Amino acid sequence: MELEPAMSPDPANTGWGPTVWTFLSKVGSDSPLVQCITNFVTMDLVANTLLAAGASPAMLHSLEEIPDFTPQANALCINVGTLSPDWIPSMNAAAELASKLGKPWVLDPVAAGASGFRMKACLELVGLKPSVIRGNGSEIIALSKASVGNTKGVDSSHESMDAVEAAKSLAHTSGCIVAVSGAVDIITDGEQVIGVYNGVSMLQKITGTGCSVTALIAAFVAVDPSHALEATASALSVFGIAAEKGMDLAKGPASLRMHLIDSLYGLDQDAVQTCVNISSL
């Protein structure tokens, strides 16, 4: 959701509306506990996104606490944005424990191709069987090829549609759902491919929107782990709808950030089912 969404090739495909609303309302009623091992830059927005949707965030990183706390969480979100050697043991321990206990967890491989250190850490985490991997086009392409190359840091130099085959390949090799954020958000299990067309271009001017939607995916998967593909598409759509609503009131990136959270908090069934824009590709 980093660029202006294209028009859906099938705008009449509204069958997703009830599904998306069911996920959002269940997050609100169940208030899943989402453990977030995420980066310092975006921690505040990630936590507030989860709270606005009705989930319960726990920004817990300490290796010493993971054996006691991770089993209590309903889902885990790992984001490597401000990666350092001290964080890797915590990330690996939490991911390994979540997988062992059958709890869903979601990986955000921020700038995966920027360095060998970062790529190695991401590949180790992929090996610990995340339920979902969400990244931008460049991150997913780099991760699927396990290659380090020219990057724009955390920004993508590829459109999401450029990464469809890479996403399908990564989904096959990892056994997880792969989501690619962009003008059209792409979600695949390696076979079927779904496009989400909700969102606004100004999201790319606010740091942490990708990190936040990754955490929201974790909350949605937490309430129905057996339907991770549908949960992922629903979370991306809800976040995009909130951005669209917020954009109606915003004057720029700073006010969009505020109105995004308010809009997410205030979404009702009619708004969701009217605005959902999801199609099979």
Side-chain angles (χ1 to χ4, degrees), residues 137-225:
S138 293
E139 290 160 353
I140 297 303
I141 290 170
L143 198 56
S144 71
K145 295 180 178 179
S147 64
V148 176
N150 293 328
T151 72
K152 293 175 64 179
V154 300
D155 296 325
S156 183
S157 56
H158 296 86
E159 301 289 346
S160 58
M161 296 302 292
D162 296 337
V164 171
E165 292 307 315
K168 290 171 68 176
S169 175
L170 181 58
H172 274 300
T173 57
S174 66
C176 70
I177 303 302
V178 176
V180 189
S181 293
V184 181
D185 297 321
I186 304 299
I187 306 97
T188 183
D189 59 3
E191 300 297 333
Q192 58 183 318
V193 181
I194 295 168
V196 175
Y197 296 81
N198 294 112
V200 298
S201 61
M202 199 176 287
L203 284 175
Q204 64 184 324
K205 300 297 185 182
I206 306 171
T207 187
T209 53
C211 304
S212 298
V213 80
T214 301
L216 191 63
I217 289 169
F220 275 49
V221 177
V223 301
D224 191 355

Side-chain angles (χ1 to χ4, degrees), residues 7-276:
M7 290 298 294
S8 167
D10 184 13
N13 183 4
T14 57
W16 275 84
T19 297
V20 175
W21 172 248
T22 296
F23 274 104
L24 179 59
S25 58
K26 192 163 178 58
V27 168
S29 62
D30 291 2
S31 190
L33 177 61
V34 181
Q35 180 185 354
C36 300
I37 303 179
T38 188
N39 70 79
F40 292 124
V41 176
T42 66
M43 203 176 291
D44 171 77
L45 186 57
V46 168
N48 281 296
T49 296
L50 287 171
L51 286 169
S56 179
M59 321 310 280
L60 186 143
H61 302 73
S62 171
L63 178 62
E64 288 76 14
E65 289 187 282
I66 284 168
D68 293 328
F69 189 86
T70 301
Q72 301 177 47
N74 300 110
L76 169 69
C77 175
I78 294 180
N79 177 301
V80 302
T82 51
L83 189 65
S84 72
D86 293 340
W87 284 41
I88 292 175
S90 296
M91 292 177 172
N92 288 345
E96 186 173 9
L97 185 54
S99 293
K100 179 181 177 181
L101 296 173
K103 293 178 181 290
W105 74 274
V106 181
L107 172 64
D108 194 328
V110 179
S115 69
F117 166 71
R118 190 169 288 267
M119 177 59 70
K120 181 175 183 292
C122 288
L123 291 175
E124 287 177 355
L125 287 165
V126 171
L128 295 173
K129 303 298 181 184
S131 306
V132 181
I133 300 171
R134 190 228 55 98
N136 62 38
S138 293
E139 290 160 353
I140 297 303
I141 290 170
L143 198 56
S144 71
K145 295 180 178 179
S147 64
V148 176
N150 293 328
T151 72
K152 293 175 64 179
V154 300
D155 296 325
S156 183
S157 56
H158 296 86
E159 301 289 346
S160 58
M161 296 302 292
D162 296 337
V164 171
E165 292 307 315
K168 290 171 68 176
S169 175
L170 181 58
H172 274 300
T173 57
S174 66
C176 70
I177 303 302
V178 176
V180 189
S181 293
V184 181
D185 297 321
I186 304 299
I187 306 97
T188 183
D189 59 3
E191 300 297 333
Q192 58 183 318
V193 181
I194 295 168
V196 175
Y197 296 81
N198 294 112
V200 298
S201 61
M202 199 176 287
L203 284 175
Q204 64 184 324
K205 300 297 185 182
I206 306 171
T207 187
T209 53
C211 304
S212 298
V213 80
T214 301
L216 191 63
I217 289 169
F220 275 49
V221 177
V223 301
D224 191 355
S226 64
H227 293 91
L229 183 139
E230 292 84 354
T232 300
S234 296
L236 286 160
S237 182
V238 162
F239 194 81
I241 292 169
E244 292 166 4
K245 298 293 186 183
M247 194 66 212
D248 291 339
L249 302 170
K251 296 180 179 179
S255 54
L256 176 58
R257 187 184 194 275
M258 175 183 71
H259 290 302
L260 169 67
I261 297 297
D262 284 349
S263 297
L264 179 57
Y265 177 78
L267 286 180
D268 58 20
Q269 184 172 2
D270 181 65
V272 170
Q273 296 194 170
T274 300
C275 297
V276 165

